[in-house]
Amino acid sequence: MIRLGFITGLILSVSMVFAQQRPHYSQYLQNMSVINPAVTGLNKGIDLRLGFRNQWQGLKDAPKTSYVTVSMPVSFGGDMANYRSSDLGVTEPTNKDDMYDYTASMSHHAFGVSFLNDKTGPLNRVAANLTYAYHLAVGDRTNVSVGVGVGTSRLGLNSSVLVFEEDGDPTVGGGGEINKYVPDLNAGIYFYGPTFYVGASMQQIIKNSLAFDGDFNVGKEVAHYFITVGNQFWINNDFSVTPSVMFKVVNPLPKAFDLNLKFSYNNKLWIGGGYRKDDAFFGTFGFNVANIVGLGYTYDYTTSNLNTVSTGSHELTLRVLF
């Protein structure tokens, strides 16, 4: 008889090989809050962002990820009670002249929520987090923020698609969906100004057991560490280029990195590309309308051995700023 714990451990081991305990994002630049809660409430107003990623298309049961994040800066108590909403959060410069007029946000609190659905084969993670960040003004043009995300994840296993040596295996009963709820904790720091950002974050601080069978105690979550750095250079008043890099450490996997290059016209239209170590080259383009609505698309060309069975990955993002 094959134990459910063994099946689950095998699936999770395969997931770890492809670093899929937490999803890949090629468009994390369009929504940094998916990897760093310190970005919560960075922009003025209510910031709504949605994303969907179809990874390794053509490969059966490959990961599919969707998310929604909402955040806003707030003022309450003490001196903050007298702040105007326009003093809280920053507005991304649209051209070089705007960059010179850029001012740091007043120090403020920020709150947000995030929802994630990540499905790989019979495994499905649904996570909900409340996020909080405090943005501190350090000088006239820079801010530093610290943030935390607290919530819960539901880990689901669709045992009805698993094949056992014996029908009616007692570890799965009648089959169907088996769920496990675990706490989720993330934290980060973010330093930013009119043209640059430097961030560091940690996801899955709580290393929960991932076993669905109480007799199997090997599988567990591992911490994910991210470092992000980028700087925007203005070629002239309207055109800019932004190189950036993201480092990711997930033990015991090899250290990984993304290299990105983005060309932008008035921050209203952009095109770019990048490389993810031992995984993919990717190209991206998108546009903003009146700095209120933004849409982005990315295609990943797989460079690993999976390119024999996969036609690549697709990712869409949508932003609405109220």
Side-chain angles (χ1 to χ4, degrees), residues 9-166:
L10 179 62
I11 295 171
L12 292 170
S13 297
V14 173
S15 296
M16 286 188 65
V17 169
F18 296 112
Q20 283 299 293
Q21 281 196 347
R22 289 284 175 162
H24 283 312
Y25 300 105
S26 293
Q27 288 204 57
Y28 64 90
L29 293 174
Q30 310 308 321
N31 188 7
M32 194 73 72
S33 62
V34 295
I35 61 174
N36 192 339
V39 181
T40 299
L42 182 147
N43 296 107
K44 296 181 185 292
I46 301 174
D47 196 344
L48 168 66
R49 307 201 184 202
L50 302 90
F52 174 74
R53 180 174 176 84
N54 186 357
Q55 187 157 315
W56 300 325
Q57 186 168 331
L59 179 65
K60 184 180 178 181
D61 296 330
K64 291 181 173 59
T65 306
S66 56
Y67 65 81
V68 178
T69 66
V70 183
S71 69
M72 65 179 295
V74 296
S75 61
F76 57 88
D79 295 337
M80 289 188 185
N82 299 318
Y83 285 179
R84 299 174 300 171
S85 60
S86 59
D87 294 327
L88 306 180
V90 297
T91 299
E92 187 178 6
T94 59
N95 54 45
K96 192 173 183 179
D97 289 340
D98 285 348
M99 180 197 69
Y100 292 123
D101 295 333
Y102 177 98
T103 58
S105 168
M106 302 288 283
S107 299
H108 64 275
H109 304 278
F111 292 93
V113 294
S114 66
F115 301 96
L116 169 73
N117 183 60
D118 186 38
K119 181 174 176 59
T120 304
L123 292 174
N124 187 45
R125 176 194 291 270
V126 178
N129 280 263
L130 296 175
T131 59
Y132 166 80
Y134 181 74
H135 296 255
L136 176 68
V138 284
D140 296 331
R141 292 168 60 83
T142 55
N143 290 89
V144 63
S145 63
V146 291
V148 63
V150 180
T152 184
S153 292
R154 188 204 72 184
L155 306 176
L157 174 67
N158 183 5
S159 63
S160 63
V161 302
L162 300 178
V163 179
F164 295 87
E165 290 180 349
E166 299 179 9

Side-chain angles (χ1 to χ4, degrees), residues 61-284:
D61 296 330
K64 291 181 173 59
T65 306
S66 56
Y67 65 81
V68 178
T69 66
V70 183
S71 69
M72 65 179 295
V74 296
S75 61
F76 57 88
D79 295 337
M80 289 188 185
N82 299 318
Y83 285 179
R84 299 174 300 171
S85 60
S86 59
D87 294 327
L88 306 180
V90 297
T91 299
E92 187 178 6
T94 59
N95 54 45
K96 192 173 183 179
D97 289 340
D98 285 348
M99 180 197 69
Y100 292 123
D101 295 333
Y102 177 98
T103 58
S105 168
M106 302 288 283
S107 299
H108 64 275
H109 304 278
F111 292 93
V113 294
S114 66
F115 301 96
L116 169 73
N117 183 60
D118 186 38
K119 181 174 176 59
T120 304
L123 292 174
N124 187 45
R125 176 194 291 270
V126 178
N129 280 263
L130 296 175
T131 59
Y132 166 80
Y134 181 74
H135 296 255
L136 176 68
V138 284
D140 296 331
R141 292 168 60 83
T142 55
N143 290 89
V144 63
S145 63
V146 291
V148 63
V150 180
T152 184
S153 292
R154 188 204 72 184
L155 306 176
L157 174 67
N158 183 5
S159 63
S160 63
V161 302
L162 300 178
V163 179
F164 295 87
E165 290 180 349
E166 299 179 9
D167 293 334
D169 190 295
T171 59
V172 298
E177 187 83 9
I178 303 173
N179 296 312
K180 178 176 183 178
Y181 293 86
V182 296
D184 192 20
L185 178 63
N186 314 296
I189 185 169
Y190 201 70
F191 180 51
Y192 59 97
T195 61
F196 75 91
Y197 65 85
V198 180
S201 60
M202 179 179 179
Q203 294 186 336
Q204 293 187 173
I205 295 175
I206 302 174
K207 301 176 182 179
N208 299 295
S209 167
L210 292 179
F212 290 90
D213 178 5
D215 296 331
F216 184 85
N217 299 308
V218 176
K220 67 177 182 178
E221 293 181 328
V222 294
H224 289 46
Y225 302 90
F226 299 89
I227 297 176
T228 53
V229 180
N231 193 86
Q232 184 177 30
F233 297 94
W234 289 94
I235 301 172
N236 55 35
N237 193 55
D238 297 314
F239 289 92
S240 67
V241 58
T242 305
S244 61
V245 61
M246 178 182 74
F247 297 97
K248 181 166 68 173
V249 178
V250 184
N251 289 323
L253 301 179
K255 295 176 177 59
F257 62 84
D258 284 21
L259 300 175
N260 302 270
L261 194 63
K262 173 183 172 182
F263 296 91
S264 175
Y265 172 72
N266 281 336
N267 278 341
K268 295 177 181 178
L269 179 68
W270 71 85
I271 187 170
Y275 169 71
R276 182 178 303 112
K277 179 178 178 289
D278 298 328
D279 182 61
F281 288 99
F282 51 90
T284 183

